[in-house]
Amino acid sequence: CTGSAIFDLKAKGAKTGIADRALKPMLGIIDPLNTRSMPTQVRLASGLDVLCHAIESYTAIPYHMRGPAPENPLQRPAYQGANPISDIWSSHALRMVAEALPRAVMDPSDTAAQDTMTLAAAYAGIGFGNGGVHLMHGCSYGISGLNRAYAHPEYPDDHPLCPHGISVAVTSPAVAEFTGSMNPDRHLEIAQVLGANVTNARREDAGSVLADALRGFLERLGVPDGISAFGYSSADIPALVESILPQHRVLKLSPRQTGAEQIATILERSLKNY
């Protein structure tokens, strides 16, 4: 349901991706039986990726704010920005993940939660396959690509490995703080879905409200405490920024203009989350 292929670009020390309509599959088989033997940490990382797919595509720059439309629709990029179609899939996937992911992680025998997560992955895939993702994914490519020592539990330990969904999720609170001002109502809506009481929340606090909701959600699931858990410190941030900046495919979908200074701030704020 997406038109992207992700790979390691070792010369740049980063993961990156290419996107094209020709990469979109003609047929997809959604079979939750394939997830039954997943180790818990694989289930967690996969589910967090789905969560961030939904959040990012729902909060991406709106499609009508991306600039002049190309003369030929075939020249439009694969990722359009948030739009009425992607919103439907992403917002529904978000609600499914908020309810089912904790159950799927905490109870390996909860096959109903596994089924829901499998379907949520497809829904979020359709959402971000049209709308796109932005800063959480953009930062993740540098975080995982420059990892030199961290090996996540229940994954192969013969080489350093920071699972994609984990590397995406650890910057989600700081990204929410950064993007909250651009669409506060959506940020508050997501926070409420994740369990926050937003009754008296102010729109100007939407980013921090969602950031706190994400921190609580991630901590309850046992997600590592920020990028310092992977061995990074403030001294590593310039190299991480350099690795992240070329990810134009996703960074351009940020609802706020984003450069080296903004990415550095997000990373600094993501050293510790709890």
Side-chain angles (χ1 to χ4, degrees):
C1 50
T2 70
S4 302
I6 308 301
F7 58 93
D8 285 324
L9 187 60
K10 293 185 177 181
K12 295 290 186 181
K15 288 172 62 177
T16 190
I18 56 175
D20 193 277
R21 288 179 182 81
L23 290 172
K24 287 195 174 186
M26 298 295 293
L27 176 68
I29 299 174
I30 303 170
D31 186 355
L33 293 178
N34 288 327
T35 72
R36 294 292 189 253
S37 61
M38 266 188 181
T40 298
Q41 288 298 314
V42 178
R43 197 181 305 282
L44 171 62
S46 301
L48 291 172
D49 193 28
V50 177
L51 173 69
C52 293
H53 285 159
I55 292 174
E56 290 174 84
S57 55
Y58 199 50
T59 58
I61 186 171
Y63 72 101
H64 55 80
M65 294 178 60
R66 295 200 63 193
E71 293 182 5
N72 187 333
L74 292 177
Q75 295 175 342
R76 290 183 299 182
Y79 290 166
Q80 294 295 302
N83 61 79
I85 302 301
S86 64
D87 289 349
I88 293 172
W89 295 98
S90 299
S91 61
H92 192 61
L94 172 67
R95 286 161 172 78
M96 296 168 75
V97 173
E99 188 273 331
L101 181 57
R103 290 170 46 202
V105 170
M106 302 302 179
D107 183 3
S109 67
D110 191 339
T111 56
Q114 296 170 23
D115 295 354
T116 298
M117 283 303 304
T118 305
L119 194 57
Y123 285 5
I126 297 171
F128 94 85
N130 289 276
V133 290
H134 52 86
L135 295 175
M136 299 173 198
H137 271 74
C139 290
S140 78
Y141 297 138
I143 293 167
S144 57
L146 292 181
N147 173 35
R148 295 292 178 264
Y150 179 78
H152 196 74
E154 296 188 288
Y155 278 79
D157 59 4
D158 58 340
H159 62 282
L161 193 154
C162 181
H164 175 64
I166 301 295
S167 67
V168 171
V170 290
T171 63
S172 61
V175 170
E177 290 175 335
F178 176 67
T179 61
S181 62
M182 295 307 294
N183 197 329
D185 292 336
R186 288 199 176 188
H187 284 69
L188 289 174
E189 177 187 348
I190 297 167
Q192 185 174 38
V193 170
L194 293 176
N197 182 350
V198 300
T199 303
N200 297 314
R202 301 183 304 172
R203 297 179 79 248
E204 55 265 38
D205 296 330
S208 60
V209 171
L210 176 54
D212 287 343
L214 283 163
R215 290 187 186 102
F217 191 79
L218 299 180
E219 186 173 21
R220 289 191 294 273
L221 290 172
V223 176
D225 187 8
I227 65 174
S228 63
F230 311 141
Y232 292 116
S233 69
S234 294
D236 298 305
I237 288 179
L240 285 167
V241 170
E242 185 178 350
S243 178
I244 292 165
L245 279 175
Q247 309 292 340
H248 300 296
R249 179 179 60 90
V250 291
L251 296 184
K252 288 182 177 179
L253 289 160
S254 168
R256 289 184 62 184
Q257 188 170 1
T258 307
E261 181 180 351
Q262 291 77 24
I263 293 172
T265 298
I266 289 170
L267 293 170
E268 191 74 43
R269 294 281 295 160
S270 300
L271 285 168
K272 299 281 286 186
N273 280 329
Y274 317 132

